[in-house]
C-alpha cells in the first residue's frame, strides 16, 4: 500500500522476491493448492492496489492479466522440497 506510487518495475521486482521466499519456505509436497492460492490472492491484491494509484481506474482485469502480467510476469509456484523422497 505504501509503495504503490513507485515505478511498476520496482514493485514487480519486490513482489517476485517475496513470492520466491514464500515458495521456498512453503513449497513442499502436498502444499501445492495453498501455494497456488497464495499466488491468486497476490494477483488480486496487486490489481486492487495498482488501481488505487489514481482517482480513475487504471486497469481492467483483462488488461491487468493480458498486458501488465505479460510485461512483468509473476513467479509461478513450484515444489522445492519433497517430504516423501530422500
Amino acid at each position: 500500500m505504501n509503495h504503490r506510487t513507485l515505478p511498476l518495475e520496482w514493485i514487480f521486482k519486490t513482489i517476485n522476491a517475496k513470492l520466491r521466499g514464500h515458495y521456498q519456505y512453503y513449497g513442499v509436497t502436498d502444499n501445492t493448492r495453498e501455494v497456488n492460492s497464495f499466488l491468486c490472492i497476490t494477483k488480486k491484491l496487486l490489481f486492487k492496489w495498482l488501481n488505487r494509484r489514481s482517482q480513475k481506474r487504471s486497469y481492467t482485469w483483462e488488461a491487468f492479466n493480458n498486458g501488465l502480467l505479460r510485461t512483468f510476469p509473476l513467479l509461478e509456484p513450484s515444489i522445492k522440497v519433497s517430504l516423501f523422497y530422500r
Side-chain angles (χ1 to χ4, degrees):
M1 180 175 87
N2 294 330
H3 302 293
R4 67 180 172 218
T5 59
L6 296 173
L8 289 175
E9 183 178 336
W10 187 88
I11 291 172
F12 278 91
K13 184 178 176 184
T14 304
I15 289 175
N16 276 331
K18 292 176 186 286
L19 284 174
R20 185 179 302 111
H22 186 83
Y23 296 158
Q24 288 175 352
Y25 189 81
Y26 292 104
V28 297
T29 310
D30 290 340
N31 202 23
T32 306
R33 186 181 323 155
E34 286 77 15
V35 174
N36 283 329
S37 70
F38 184 78
L39 178 63
C40 290
I41 291 169
T42 302
K43 286 180 183 179
K44 289 177 185 177
L45 287 173
L46 184 60
F47 175 74
K48 172 186 172 180
W49 287 109
L50 288 179
N51 269 326
R52 292 182 174 200
R53 291 177 86 172
S54 66
Q55 293 175 349
K56 185 175 94 171
R57 188 172 182 181
S58 301
Y59 304 102
T60 62
W61 186 248
E62 301 266 336
F64 177 74
N65 277 326
N66 297 330
L68 195 60
L69 288 182
R70 287 187 187 212
T71 306
F72 302 106
L74 294 177
L75 292 176
E76 293 295 323
S78 62
I79 299 300
K80 300 295 183 185
V81 176
S82 175
L83 298 177
F84 300 119
Y85 304 108
R86 292 193 181 241

